[in-house]
Amino acid sequence: MKGPLFYSKILLFGEYGIIKDSKGLSIPYNFYNGALKVTQTPSEESIKSNQSLKRFADYLQNVNPELVTFDIEALKKDVEAGMYFDSSIPQGYGVGSSGALVAAIYDQYAKDKITVLENLTRDKLLLLKTIFSEMESFFHGKSSGLDPLNSYLSIPILINSKDNIEATGIPSQKADGKGAVFLIDSGVVGETAPMVGIFMENMKQEGFRKMLKDQFIKHTDACVEDFLNGDVKSLFKNTKQLSKVVLSHFKPMIPKQFHDLWKKGLETNDYYLKLCGSGGGGYILGFAEDFEKAKLALKDYRLEVVYNF
């Protein structure tokens, strides 16, 4: 048995902000993917994945049946037969490893599922997001449901606010463009739950809440608008501001060894860094008007281009 492929995703803008109703923009990233499989020669990885699926199947039995029901019998039978999630998506890297798994399970076992082929109204998108949020909470404690939504539909998603999301188109890439959005491998695995915990703790302070609204969300929303409108000049101006705010107010989410590198980008304008997902490790997102320059400045790191301007 081998199921269809589900891809990783990148939240270009909106990390943390979308918890508090900022805009966000999430795009599929086809470099990594995963699929449900059954194998006759299990590896250590597949056995671990299979055990996790066992627990996940038990969890799904108790999801609100008014929201979604699953063919639990078929799922448990397949898990007993050794089914696992075969994935190249790195875990704890902010590119949606659990999201792809959730999408695959929904696709294979949900009854009356909403399919990619039907007319995806806003209500259907929100319902899918709610279902995925319930499902993915098994992995993170609290999930927005956006990662699985992106994986399942494999199209860019614009988040206007918590209750207002839409499928969107993004400007097509310029193959010979000098500018780029890229990923830097921090070499450290990030844990989502503790990072979100720090954020929620900070939210208790009035000063932090004010900064989030007046600076972080303001620049995030502007970046989303600029990106969708293809206004590269304004995008880099706003990304720089966003990068500054993150360095000042989200330090615990930036791996220590990147603090100076982050600052250097802001001083030289060769590149600007921002969090990819909840931070704490995994990937860091980079934006550069001249990617060759950024490559030189970051020559000690492994960079992966996500999008060309």
Side-chain angles (χ1 to χ4, degrees):
M1 166 198 157
K2 183 174 175 341
L5 284 178
F6 289 92
Y7 296 103
S8 51
K9 68 87 201 73
I10 289 171
L11 185 63
L12 275 186
F13 301 104
E15 71 291 340
Y16 292 108
I18 53 176
I19 299 176
K20 292 293 157 202
D21 266 1
S22 79
K23 281 185 185 293
L25 181 64
S26 183
I27 61 170
Y29 183 43
N30 297 353
F31 190 73
Y32 296 117
N33 56 54
L36 292 168
K37 274 187 190 170
V38 173
T39 175
Q40 299 313 311
T41 51
S43 64
E44 199 181 321
E45 282 293 295
S46 68
I47 291 168
K48 234 165 76 182
S49 168
N50 176 261
Q51 285 164 347
S52 166
L53 279 180
K54 241 180 216 143
R55 294 190 295 275
F56 191 34
D58 291 337
Y59 170 85
L60 292 178
Q61 262 178 307
N62 303 311
V63 168
N64 178 358
E66 284 175 19
L67 195 60
V68 61
T69 52
F70 297 94
D71 187 343
I72 294 287
E73 223 172 281
L75 171 57
K76 290 200 161 179
K77 205 173 125 211
D78 289 343
V79 169
E80 280 307 313
M83 182 174 77
Y84 69 105
F85 190 58
D86 183 24
S87 167
S88 65
I89 308 169
Q91 289 186 350
Y93 262 68
V95 285
S97 53
S98 58
L101 166 58
V102 166
I105 293 286
Y106 176 83
D107 180 63
Q108 191 81 15
Y109 300 101
K111 296 177 175 173
D112 304 322
K113 66 177 185 186
I114 296 167
T115 71
V116 188
L117 300 171
E118 58 197 87
N119 178 17
L120 287 169
T121 59
R122 188 169 289 173
D123 288 347
K124 280 183 189 166
L125 280 175
L126 275 175
L127 177 59
L128 265 178
K129 182 174 174 285
T130 308
I131 291 168
F132 288 149
S133 161
E134 281 282 304
M135 290 175 71
E136 200 182 30
S137 293
F138 169 77
F139 299 97
H140 292 319
K142 185 170 169 31
S143 153
S144 69
L146 267 173
D147 286 6
L149 185 64
N150 210 296
S151 250
Y152 184 61
L153 301 175
S154 222
I155 46 179
I157 290 169
L158 170 63
I159 302 109
N160 293 304
S161 67
K162 263 206 274 292
D163 305 322
N164 181 349
I165 54 176
E166 55 185 297
T168 187
I170 57 175
S172 49
Q173 301 197 45
K174 294 191 172 65
D176 53 352
K178 275 174 72 170
V181 182
F182 56 93
L183 295 173
I184 304 180
D185 186 346
S186 72
V188 195
V189 171
E191 288 273 343
T192 300
M195 294 297 134
V196 174
I198 293 170
F199 175 77
M200 288 311 195
E201 208 40 53
N202 286 342
M203 282 300 287
K204 292 176 183 169
Q205 302 160 22
E206 197 189 329
F208 187 83
R209 289 199 303 272
K210 191 171 168 7
M211 173 281 303
L212 198 78
K213 186 167 154 278
D214 298 347
Q215 297 175 47
F216 188 81
I217 290 179
K218 184 181 119 185
H219 296 309
T220 296
D221 287 0
C223 284
V224 172
E225 291 293 324
D226 290 341
F227 190 89
L228 290 176
N229 294 330
D231 188 342
V232 178
K233 211 160 191 50
S234 180
L235 173 67
F236 278 98
K237 213 171 77 201
N238 282 307
T239 305
K240 181 175 187 174
Q241 293 309 317
L242 190 56
S243 182
K244 244 186 222 167
V245 172
V246 172
L247 184 60
S248 302
H249 301 281
F250 289 79
K251 265 229 167 85
M253 286 77 164
I254 304 171
K256 276 205 172 54
Q257 65 273 36
F258 282 90
H259 289 183
D260 287 343
L261 208 63
W262 205 285
K263 215 164 105 201
K264 207 177 122 196
L266 289 166
E267 285 163 1
T268 60
N269 295 317
D270 286 349
Y271 57 87
Y272 305 127
L273 302 181
K274 66 181 289 296
L275 297 173
C276 179
S278 52
Y283 284 120
I284 289 168
L285 262 174
F287 287 73
E289 279 189 271
D290 184 337
F291 185 57
E292 289 307 314
K293 245 187 189 167
K295 259 198 332 211
L296 267 175
L298 299 164
K299 62 181 186 308
D300 301 336
Y301 299 88
R302 205 165 63 92
L303 311 183
E304 287 173 28
V305 173
V306 172
Y307 185 92
N308 281 104
F309 292 109

